[in-house]
Amino acid sequence: MARLRAHLLLFVVAAAAVLVFPPGAHGFYLPGSYPHKYNPGEPLNVKVNSLTSIDTEIPFSYYSLPFCTPPEGVKDSAENLGELLMGDRIENSPYRFKSYTNESDVFLCRSAPLAPDTFALMKKRIDEMYQVNLILDNLPAIRYTKKDDYFLRWTGYPVGIRVGVDYYVFNHLQFTVLVHKYEDANVARVMGTGDATDGFPSGGKDGTTGSSTGWMVVGFEVVPCSIKHNPEDVKSLKIYGKYPSKIKCDPTTVSMSIKENEPIVYTYEVSFVESDIKWPSRWDAYLKMEGAKVHWFSILNSLMVIAFLAGIVFVILLRTVRRDLTRYEELDSEAQAQMNEELSGWKLVVSDVFRAPSNPMLLCVVVGDGVQILGMAVVTILFAALGFMSPASRGTLITGMLFFYLVLGILAGYTGVRVWKTIKCGDHTGWMAVSWRVACFFPGIAFLILTTLNFLLWGSQSTGAIPFSLFVILILLWFCISVPLTLVGGLLGAKAPHIEYPVRTNQIPREIPPQKYPSWLLVLGAGTLPFGTLFIELFFIMSSIWMGRVYYVFGFLFIVMLLLVIVCAEVSLVLTYMHLCVEDWKWWWKSFFSSGSVAIYIFLYSINYLVFDLKNLSGPVSATLYLGYSLFMVIAIMLATGTVGFISSFCFVHYLFSSVKAD
C-alpha cells in the first residue's frame, strides 16, 4: 500500500474541506520547491522510489528486484514523516546524466544469473503489473502511450510484460530530459526545499550572479524497451561504458525474455530537449485531471441540483416553523393550555426536549473528535490550496495533517467538555474523563486498524509498512502532544460557561407515542442526500487514491464539500424537526447519525468500487488492506459529518424552544 495512508488521509480531508484553489491555474511557484540551475556538463542524479502496482497496492523496495546498484552503494535520501507514512522509500540510482549532454548506448550493468527464487519473484512482479518510479530534480518520470487518437499519461514504467508463457523485462530506458534556459527571477527564491540534496546556486562557476548559461529541468520522460543483449559482449565493460553495438529502442516490440540462471544486461540513453515549458509550469502535466469537461459538467450539475433541493428544504422548514410559532404566540395562556391538550407536535415535548441523552459521555467524545477532524481538514486544505503542501514537496501534506491534528486537540477537548457541561446543566464533574476519552477514542481506533494492517504489510515485506521506530514516534506524538493539549482544552471547557437551556425539564420523562415506522430507518436513509453531493466527485477521488494519480483540483473539492456541510446541516435539521413533531424528544443521537450515516453509503460505494472498478486487485491481503483503510476513512467521515449535524440541530432546537413561552 505505497501511498494509501497518504491518499486516504487526503480523502478524509476531502470530506470536510474548504477554500478554493483555481483549477487549471498556471504560472505560479509551488511553495516547497524552487528552480535549480544546471550548468552544461553538470551531473544530474536520478533517484528511485518504491515499486508500486494498482493490482496489489502493496509497495516494495526498488532493489528488491535484480536491478543495477550505484557504484557507491545504495543510500537512502532524507525523508520526512509524511514520506515514510506514504510508503515512499527514495534511494539513489546508478543512472547518471550530464546536463545538456546527449548520450546513447550507455552500459549500466550485467546482473547476476537469476536464481530460482529471484526468477520466480521477477515473474510475480511482472504479473502484478509493478511500476518502476524514477525521480529527476524532484520530477517523477512520466511515460506516454497512444490509444486510438489520444495519449495516455503514466508515471513510471512497468518492470516487464508477459506475452503468452514468456516474460520480458524492460532493460533499456530511453530518457528525455526537457530543459528550459535558466531565468534569474527573484520570485523564484521561495521558502522551502523540494529536495534536501539540491541547492539553489547563487551564481555561475566564476562566482558572478545572474548567469543565463544554465538550464532548468522542466520535464522528465521515459520510454522503456526490451532489448536482447548478449551477456558475453559486456563481460569486460565497466559501468557507463559504451555498448559494443548500436541500440535501437522500439517500444512496440519486446525481445529480452528472462530465464532462470541467465543474467540481464541493462543499458540506457538520454537526450536533452529544449522546451518552451517554464519552470513554474513544469508540474502541469502531473496535476492535470483527466476528463476535465466531464468533471466540470458533473460538478456543476450536482451543484445546481443540490443547491436547489437544499434551498427548497430550507424554505419549507423556515415557513413551517415560523407559522407554528406565530400561531402559538398569538394565543393567551388559557388557549395555549387548551391547544396543548388538543394538538400534538413539537410544542408538547417542551419539558423533555433537553433531557440528557443516553450515553452522554460517548456523545461528547464523538463530537469532540469530529470537531478535531473537521478543523484539521479546514486548515490543511487552506494551506494546500495556497500551494504550501504541493506534490512537489513530498510528504508535506501528511506531515501537515498530523501537525494540525495534534495541535487541534485543544479544540477537541474544549468542545467535548463544553457539551458535557451543558448536558449536565453546568456541572463540570467528570471533565477529565471526557478529555481523556476524546484524546484516545479516534486515535485509538486508527491505531488499532493501522496496526492490524501493518502486520499484513510487514508479513509481505512491503515498504508501505510503518517501521517500528516510526510507531514509537507516533505514540510519543500522541501522548506527549495531543493528549496534553486535549486536557488543556478540556480544562478551558470546564471553566467556560455552559449553554443554558431555554426551558425546564420535567423529572418524569414523557412517553413517546408509538411510531408507524422505525425512526432509525429514516435516520439511516437520510444519508443518501449528503451522499448525492459526493457521488460524482467520489469517483475522481477514489480513482486518484487507488490509481496512483495526483488529486490537486481543490476548486472542485471546495464546491462539493461546501455543499456537503450545508446539506448535512439541513438534513439533520429537517429530521430533528420531524421527530419532534411526532413527540419523539430523543433527538440527540439521531441528529448525529442522520448526517453521519453518509459514511455507510461511502463504505458501500467503496465495496462497489472494489468489485467493479478494481477487478484486478489480487489476493486476500490486498482486499483486506483496501477494506481496512476504507473502514478507517469512513469512521473519520462519520465523526466529521455527524458533528456538523449535531451542532446544527442543537442550535436549531435551542433557538426553536427559546421562542416558546413556557412557565
Side-chain angles (χ1 to χ4, degrees):
M1 287 265 160
R3 310 170 193 280
L4 292 187
R5 278 178 291 271
H7 285 137
L8 288 172
L9 284 173
L10 175 60
F11 183 74
V12 170
V13 171
V18 299
L19 211 64
V20 65
F21 182 86
H26 301 278
F28 58 90
Y29 285 100
L30 295 172
S33 62
Y34 51 79
H36 184 114
K37 182 185 75 171
Y38 293 96
N39 295 315
E42 185 177 346
L44 286 83
N45 298 322
V46 177
K47 298 181 180 181
V48 293
N49 205 341
S50 301
L51 304 175
T52 57
S53 170
I54 61 174
D55 188 53
T56 66
E57 301 292 350
I58 303 176
F60 292 99
S61 170
Y62 173 83
Y63 293 106
S64 63
L65 294 181
F67 293 128
C68 303
T69 56
E72 68 275 15
V74 178
K75 298 178 182 178
D76 292 329
S77 293
E79 293 178 305
N80 55 43
L81 182 63
E83 286 180 297
L84 294 174
L85 289 174
M86 289 170 64
D88 284 341
R89 295 297 182 271
I90 301 177
E91 300 164 309
N92 59 336
S93 81
Y95 296 102
R96 301 282 191 274
F97 305 154
K98 294 179 181 177
S99 177
Y100 215 67
T101 303
N102 296 341
E103 297 178 276
S104 61
D105 311 326
V106 181
F107 169 73
L108 201 59
C109 79
R110 172 190 174 193
S111 72
L114 299 181
D117 55 341
T118 305
F119 175 67
L121 183 62
M122 281 284 288
K123 293 196 299 181
K124 183 180 180 182
R125 295 290 180 261
I126 292 174
D127 281 333
E128 294 171 338
M129 300 188 296
Y130 269 86
Q131 303 280 318
V132 178
N133 299 293
L134 306 177
I135 302 171
L136 176 66
D137 193 45
N138 204 35
L139 279 180
I142 199 169
R143 174 173 58 96
Y144 293 96
T145 58
K146 189 174 182 180
K147 183 178 181 182
D148 298 331
D149 295 330
Y150 57 93
F151 286 91
L152 298 176
R153 183 185 70 253
W154 310 89
T155 53
Y157 68 91
V159 172
I161 188 173
R162 179 181 179 180
V163 180
V165 295
D166 295 324
Y167 291 83
Y168 296 87
V169 66
F170 291 115
N171 61 329
H172 178 82
L173 301 180
Q174 184 183 70
F175 295 108
T176 301
V177 181
L178 305 180
V179 294
H180 188 82
K181 280 189 177 180
Y182 175 72
E183 299 172 357
D184 189 9
N186 290 331
V187 70
R189 302 171 186 269
V190 295
M191 297 175 58
T193 172
D195 195 319
T197 61
D198 292 339
F200 187 88
S202 59
K205 291 182 179 180
D206 57 356
T208 61
T209 60
S211 173
S212 60
T213 59
W215 302 88
M216 297 178 294
V217 176
V218 295
F220 184 36
E221 301 175 4
V222 61
V223 176
C225 295
S226 179
I227 308 294
K228 181 65 177 178
H229 294 313
N230 188 351
E232 300 300 322
D233 294 343
V234 296
K235 272 190 173 182
S236 59
L237 281 182
K238 294 184 178 180
I239 190 171
Y240 309 125
K242 191 77 172 179
Y243 191 76
S245 59
K246 182 67 176 176
I247 302 174
K248 184 179 180 181
C249 180
D250 183 4
T252 61
T253 61
V254 291
S255 57
M256 183 59 203
S257 61
I258 58 173
K259 296 180 181 178
E260 193 172 326
N261 297 321
E262 288 190 10
I264 302 174
V265 176
Y266 293 93
T267 55
Y268 73 92
E269 59 184 284
V270 59
S271 60
F272 287 78
V273 178
E274 189 171 354
S275 173
D276 294 332
I277 300 174
K278 294 188 177 181
W279 192 89
S281 302
R282 68 177 192 160
W283 273 90
D284 287 356
Y286 303 90
L287 303 181
K288 183 179 179 181
M289 292 293 292
E290 299 291 345
K293 292 183 179 179
V294 177
H295 198 94
W296 270 113
F297 177 78
S298 301
I299 294 301
L300 291 177
N301 180 66
S302 177
L303 172 65
M304 289 186 294
V305 172
I306 298 302
F308 178 74
L309 182 59
I312 295 266
V313 169
F314 182 75
V315 169
I316 292 175
L317 181 63
L318 184 63
R319 291 185 61 184
T320 303
V321 173
R322 181 175 296 175
R323 183 190 62 204
D324 284 352
L325 284 176
T326 302
R327 290 179 57 196
Y328 195 76
E329 295 299 329
E330 288 177 350
L331 303 176
D332 55 24
S333 300
E334 183 178 349
Q336 287 180 15
Q338 183 179 359
M339 184 178 178
N340 287 344
E341 293 178 0
E342 296 176 353
L343 301 177
S344 62
W346 58 270
K347 300 171 289 296
L348 298 182
V349 296
V350 63
S351 299
D352 296 274
V353 69
F354 289 107
R355 190 176 301 280
S358 58
N359 299 312
M361 184 171 289
L362 179 59
L363 179 63
C364 298
V365 169
V366 296
V367 170
D369 281 331
V371 168
Q372 188 175 10
I373 295 171
L374 200 62
M376 175 201 67
V378 169
V379 180
T380 302
I381 294 299
L382 170 63
F383 279 87
L386 296 175
F388 288 98
M389 298 176 183
S390 71
S393 301
R394 289 179 179 83
T396 55
L397 178 67
I398 307 305
T399 305
M401 290 175 67
L402 286 174
F403 172 77
F404 294 137
Y405 183 83
L406 294 173
V407 171
L408 288 173
I410 190 168
L411 183 60
Y414 176 85
T415 304
V417 172
R418 186 84 185 275
V419 174
W420 171 258
K421 190 175 180 182
T422 298
I423 293 176
K424 294 297 182 180
C425 300
D427 183 10
H428 65 272
T429 304
W431 71 268
M432 180 74 76
V434 174
S435 301
W436 269 105
R437 285 169 171 79
V438 170
C440 297
F441 182 73
F442 178 71
I445 293 175
F447 184 80
L448 179 63
I449 294 175
L450 296 181
T451 302
T452 303
L453 300 181
N454 213 52
F455 278 116
L456 296 177
L457 293 170
W458 271 332
S460 302
Q461 297 181 334
S462 168
T463 58
I466 302 176
F468 179 76
S469 58
L470 184 57
F471 253 114
V472 175
I473 293 174
L474 292 175
I475 293 175
L476 290 176
L477 290 175
W478 180 9
F479 284 99
C480 296
I481 297 180
S482 181
V483 171
L485 286 178
T486 306
L487 293 176
V488 170
L491 179 61
L492 295 176
K495 292 183 177 180
H498 70 286
I499 302 173
E500 295 185 2
Y501 295 147
V503 293
R504 290 198 300 260
T505 301
N506 290 339
Q507 292 184 352
I508 302 175
R510 181 186 181 89
E511 183 179 355
I512 300 175
Q515 308 299 322
K516 189 174 182 180
Y517 301 103
S519 59
W520 283 101
L521 187 62
L522 187 61
V523 169
L524 295 178
T528 55
L529 190 57
F531 179 74
T533 66
L534 280 176
F535 178 72
I536 299 173
E537 189 72 8
L538 199 56
F539 174 78
F540 293 95
I541 297 174
M542 295 291 283
S543 298
S544 175
I545 293 174
W546 300 103
M547 299 299 177
R549 296 172 185 152
V550 179
Y551 186 89
Y552 207 64
V553 284
F554 291 102
F556 291 126
L557 199 58
F558 167 73
I559 295 172
V560 175
M561 295 311 122
L562 182 61
L563 284 174
L564 176 66
V565 171
I566 294 174
V567 172
C568 282
E570 292 191 344
V571 163
S572 182
L573 292 185
V574 172
L575 258 73
T576 299
Y577 182 71
M578 290 175 62
H579 284 110
L580 293 179
C581 284
V582 294
E583 303 177 37
D584 184 356
W585 46 266
K586 296 183 178 180
W587 59 271
W588 300 76
W589 279 107
K590 291 171 185 175
S591 66
F592 181 90
F593 285 112
S594 59
S595 56
S597 61
V598 65
I600 298 175
Y601 299 96
I602 294 177
F603 188 71
L604 294 176
Y605 181 87
S606 300
I607 296 176
N608 174 80
Y609 192 85
L610 172 65
V611 174
F612 295 101
D613 293 276
L614 294 178
K615 299 176 183 178
N616 295 327
L617 196 64
S618 62
V621 174
S622 298
T624 302
L625 290 169
Y626 174 89
L627 294 175
Y629 283 118
S630 297
L631 179 62
F632 164 72
M633 171 185 70
V634 299
I635 290 175
I637 292 173
M638 182 190 68
L639 293 175
T641 54
T643 297
V644 172
F646 170 77
I647 292 177
S648 59
S649 287
F650 182 87
C651 294
F652 166 73
V653 172
H654 191 278
Y655 170 78
L656 179 62
F657 284 90
S658 296
S659 305
V660 175
K661 295 179 181 179
D663 294 333

